[in-house]
Amino acid sequence: MLVEAALLGTARRMPDLTPLATELGLSGEGSTPESRLLELAALATNYRWAGDEPARLPLPPLPVCLPETQAYMPDAALRILDQLLADKEPNRRLVGQWTRKCRERGWILPPDRLTTLLSRRKQGEFEVDPVEVKAIMGNRGVWLGQFNPDWAFEPDLTPEEEWHEGRRTVRDLALYAIRKTDPARALALLAQTWPTESLKERKSLLNTMLPGLSEADIPFLEGVRAELVSVKKPKPLQTEMLMHVTELLLAIPESALVAEVVGQLRAYFKTPTGLLNKLMQKIDKRLELPTRFDHFLEPKYIESFGFDALESHTEAERISSWFVSLLMRLHPVVWPLLLDDPQTRPVPFLMRQAIFKDEHEVVLRVLEEIVVNFKRADWVADLLPYKTDVKDWPKLLALLPADEQHALILREFSLTGQLGEHQYLTAEEAAPWSLPFSEAIWTNLGESWMKSPYQPLHGAERQFFRDAVAVVHPQLTPKAEALLLPNIPEAHQHGCREKLINPFLRWLDLREQIENL
């Protein structure tokens, strides 16, 4: 009441302050009644609450951080990390190499460095395998994840545990990982849950089956295809699934579908130019199909077969588009069965049939899709002479062993186009470059820089430049400046040093330091 009276004012009835003043040992005297009232109210409030314990929230106890069992990394490793993170955009390949080296050594970050690396990683400043980063965080780094979701790591689950417990996208990745190492186990897991999966999940899970695809997958895929074909009014997702299941079966040489397709397609290879004369008809009439063939090649069954027909003005073009799709997806192993002579090389055979320009382009597209989809490196040498458009070279060269890649590029360097299109040369799994190859690429980078000398490389070429430090030959260092500057006008040499040469040499020095840890 005393506090309430003080807040309301003292113009009304003045309370009797004598008992309270006596209890507090005060005289209660002051300059004015209002002052005495407010002073006693303040004292009384403190007196009232003195000794009371605050209410305790029922918070669960924090998990205890386990003691570290690994050694903290030495100062040399920390100095390299500081130099890497000093860049506004750290070089992702060098950060990855540093992380991997520290993990191999069994080192972990000291406590005062944990939050810096965790925060900058989450901000997307560099891409490093989360497993590698977690390995150098130690127990404290993992423990800190409970205080900031951006610092948290995924729990250590096996791919099979993720398959059973994870979200849909995680399950897809988990099954794909299992498939790459144990296709039989992946097939068993998929067959077990297939009846309970939604259409959307089924379509997504079919995409995981390509690694290790083999004869053992045929019964499952044929069962799925038979179920889809039996649907009288399929939904769009079911039509897409039918297309993909058919593609998978065509990629298995032992499947009954491949035997059926090969038996029917052989009629199109009987005459030297029979295939493309029929394939590329542009007149407004039906493509003439042999009447003795069953419904497989009849136009009215094209949609149920599963391939989306491209929009066209004539039915002949529509069937031709479907026919091209079929050829692209047919496994290359069975191509010799389509030819009278099994020793005939498919690339020259088909190219000889491409009499007209439009035929030439279609056949090249078919062959390129076959080579890339089925990774037929043995067809690349036959195909490259026909690929005059250099933009098509990278995805073909990527299929070759590193020494063949490098030899072809050195021999035809003027045809390689922009280096940004050749990311396979700097990929994580790319082989180290020889010194001649490193010199050729470095010179080409200088030429690319000269196209815009007042700004750094950008886009794909810029990323190629940054990633190349991981594979370039170490003996390029003393030659780097001499290879570029003589071809650079004097007015631009300073810019070339600042934007190209110096950053690259600094990265090469850091790479050497990492390797020597």
Side-chain angles (χ1 to χ4, degrees), residues 495-510:
C496 183
R497 285 193 183 93
E498 292 297 313
K499 293 181 173 66
L500 201 68
I501 298 174
N502 291 346
F504 201 76
L505 293 180
R506 176 173 169 270
W507 290 335
L508 281 175
D509 179 61
L510 286 172

Side-chain angles (χ1 to χ4, degrees), residues 14-301:
M14 190 68 180
D16 184 8
L17 303 177
T18 304
L20 178 61
T22 302
E23 185 176 354
L24 295 176
L26 299 173
S27 64
E29 297 179 356
S31 58
T32 63
E34 290 82 0
S35 297
R36 290 198 302 274
L37 177 63
L38 292 173
E39 289 171 0
L40 287 169
L43 286 169
T45 299
N46 290 334
Y47 180 76
R48 167 69 180 81
W49 292 106
D52 274 16
E53 293 186 2
R56 296 185 178 182
L57 294 176
L59 294 176
L62 289 175
V64 177
C65 179
L66 298 174
E68 301 292 4
T69 58
Q70 296 173 268
Y72 292 123
M73 56 188 62
D75 290 341
L78 294 175
R79 283 194 295 271
I80 295 173
L81 177 63
D82 290 341
Q83 292 181 71
L84 290 172
L85 298 184
D87 294 337
K88 184 178 180 180
E89 183 184 354
N91 188 298
R92 63 178 185 179
R93 295 299 296 276
L94 292 180
V95 174
Q97 287 186 0
W98 176 87
T99 307
R100 191 157 46 251
K101 176 66 76 169
C102 291
R103 180 185 60 80
E104 292 170 357
R105 294 283 191 239
W107 297 333
I108 59 174
L109 278 168
D112 60 328
R113 303 298 186 97
L114 291 171
T115 56
T116 300
L117 190 62
L118 287 171
S119 298
R120 294 192 65 173
R121 168 182 167 266
K122 184 60 181 179
Q123 291 167 9
E125 294 185 15
F126 50 85
E127 300 173 10
V128 182
D129 185 351
V131 176
E132 300 278 2
V133 176
K134 186 177 181 180
I136 66 168
M137 287 291 129
N139 293 327
R140 188 187 300 269
V142 177
W143 179 79
L144 285 172
Q146 65 188 306
F147 303 110
N148 187 337
D150 291 345
W151 297 346
F153 292 92
E154 293 291 336
D156 292 327
L157 299 177
T158 65
E160 192 158 334
E161 289 172 333
E162 290 179 337
W163 161 253
H164 289 297
E165 302 174 17
R167 302 181 305 276
R168 183 173 65 84
T169 53
V170 174
R171 293 178 72 228
D172 292 357
L173 293 173
L175 191 63
Y176 187 82
I178 298 170
R179 181 89 196 179
K180 289 196 294 186
T181 57
D182 191 351
R185 180 57 181 161
L187 177 63
L189 291 171
L190 180 58
Q192 183 181 12
T193 64
W194 185 261
T196 62
E197 305 285 359
S198 67
L199 277 180
K200 188 174 182 180
E201 290 170 336
R202 287 184 176 188
K203 177 178 176 291
S204 180
L205 291 170
L206 283 174
N207 293 328
T208 68
M209 293 194 65
L210 196 55
L213 194 65
S214 70
E215 187 175 359
D217 298 302
I218 293 176
F220 173 78
L221 292 173
E222 287 183 340
V224 173
R225 184 169 184 269
E227 179 184 346
L228 292 169
V229 170
S230 68
V231 179
K232 294 182 179 179
K233 295 182 178 180
K235 299 177 181 178
L237 275 177
Q238 290 172 314
T239 301
E240 292 179 29
M241 286 172 58
L242 177 58
M243 178 175 66
H244 192 46
V245 170
T246 303
E247 290 174 347
L248 291 172
L249 284 170
L250 288 172
I252 307 175
E254 299 84 0
S255 71
L257 182 61
V258 168
E260 181 182 3
V261 170
V262 170
Q264 296 183 46
L265 289 184
R266 280 182 61 84
Y268 287 85
F269 290 81
K270 290 300 183 183
T271 58
T273 59
L275 173 65
L276 292 178
N277 282 344
K278 293 176 181 177
L279 180 62
M280 295 307 300
Q281 286 186 71
K282 300 298 182 183
I283 56 176
D284 188 8
K285 69 176 185 179
R286 289 182 53 164
L287 180 65
E288 186 177 345
L289 299 173
T291 55
R292 67 180 182 276
F293 288 173
D294 62 18
H295 66 263
F296 178 79
L297 288 178
E298 290 181 16
K300 64 181 179 179
Y301 288 98

Side-chain angles (χ1 to χ4, degrees), residues 198-478:
S198 67
L199 277 180
K200 188 174 182 180
E201 290 170 336
R202 287 184 176 188
K203 177 178 176 291
S204 180
L205 291 170
L206 283 174
N207 293 328
T208 68
M209 293 194 65
L210 196 55
L213 194 65
S214 70
E215 187 175 359
D217 298 302
I218 293 176
F220 173 78
L221 292 173
E222 287 183 340
V224 173
R225 184 169 184 269
E227 179 184 346
L228 292 169
V229 170
S230 68
V231 179
K232 294 182 179 179
K233 295 182 178 180
K235 299 177 181 178
L237 275 177
Q238 290 172 314
T239 301
E240 292 179 29
M241 286 172 58
L242 177 58
M243 178 175 66
H244 192 46
V245 170
T246 303
E247 290 174 347
L248 291 172
L249 284 170
L250 288 172
I252 307 175
E254 299 84 0
S255 71
L257 182 61
V258 168
E260 181 182 3
V261 170
V262 170
Q264 296 183 46
L265 289 184
R266 280 182 61 84
Y268 287 85
F269 290 81
K270 290 300 183 183
T271 58
T273 59
L275 173 65
L276 292 178
N277 282 344
K278 293 176 181 177
L279 180 62
M280 295 307 300
Q281 286 186 71
K282 300 298 182 183
I283 56 176
D284 188 8
K285 69 176 185 179
R286 289 182 53 164
L287 180 65
E288 186 177 345
L289 299 173
T291 55
R292 67 180 182 276
F293 288 173
D294 62 18
H295 66 263
F296 178 79
L297 288 178
E298 290 181 16
K300 64 181 179 179
Y301 288 98
I302 288 177
E303 293 296 335
S304 66
F305 178 71
F307 293 111
D308 292 331
L310 303 177
E311 292 184 6
S312 61
H313 299 293
T314 66
E315 189 174 5
E317 290 182 3
R318 184 168 176 266
I319 297 174
S320 297
S321 299
W322 169 79
F323 199 9
V324 168
S325 298
L326 176 62
L327 294 175
M328 286 178 178
R329 291 161 173 84
L330 191 61
H331 197 291
V333 168
V334 303
W335 273 77
L337 301 177
L338 297 173
L339 311 176
D340 291 332
D341 182 3
Q343 301 302 317
T344 300
R345 288 151 56 193
V347 172
F349 173 83
L350 289 177
M351 292 308 301
R352 284 196 299 270
Q353 298 204 37
I355 300 175
F356 303 109
K357 182 179 179 181
D358 53 358
E359 294 177 345
H360 188 275
E361 293 172 353
V362 170
V363 172
L364 276 178
R365 182 162 64 93
V366 170
L367 290 170
E368 186 176 337
E369 290 291 330
I370 293 172
V371 169
V372 173
N373 292 340
F374 293 99
K375 296 181 171 40
R376 290 307 299 251
D378 55 325
W379 287 23
V380 171
D382 283 341
L383 187 57
L384 280 176
Y386 299 102
K387 302 296 289 185
T388 56
D389 188 348
V390 298
K391 292 182 179 179
D392 297 326
W393 277 51
K395 54 187 174 183
L396 298 175
L397 290 173
L399 301 173
L400 297 175
D403 54 344
E404 293 183 38
Q405 290 176 7
H406 299 172
L408 272 170
I409 293 175
L410 285 176
R411 189 167 65 247
E412 305 286 352
F413 205 76
S414 60
L415 300 178
T416 58
Q418 300 297 315
L419 285 176
E421 298 170 1
H422 297 263
Q423 298 292 339
Y424 62 93
L425 291 172
T426 60
E428 289 282 351
E429 65 276 8
W433 298 348
S434 65
L435 183 57
F437 190 70
S438 298
E439 293 174 352
I441 295 291
W442 179 244
T443 303
N444 188 274
L445 279 168
E447 294 171 357
S448 298
W449 177 82
M450 271 303 297
K451 295 175 184 176
S452 304
Y454 295 104
Q455 59 183 340
L457 296 171
H458 57 278
E461 283 193 331
R462 177 174 177 271
Q463 195 58 60
F464 183 95
F465 167 63
R466 295 173 64 83
D467 290 348
V469 68
V471 288
V472 74
H473 198 282
Q475 292 182 16
L476 180 67
T477 301

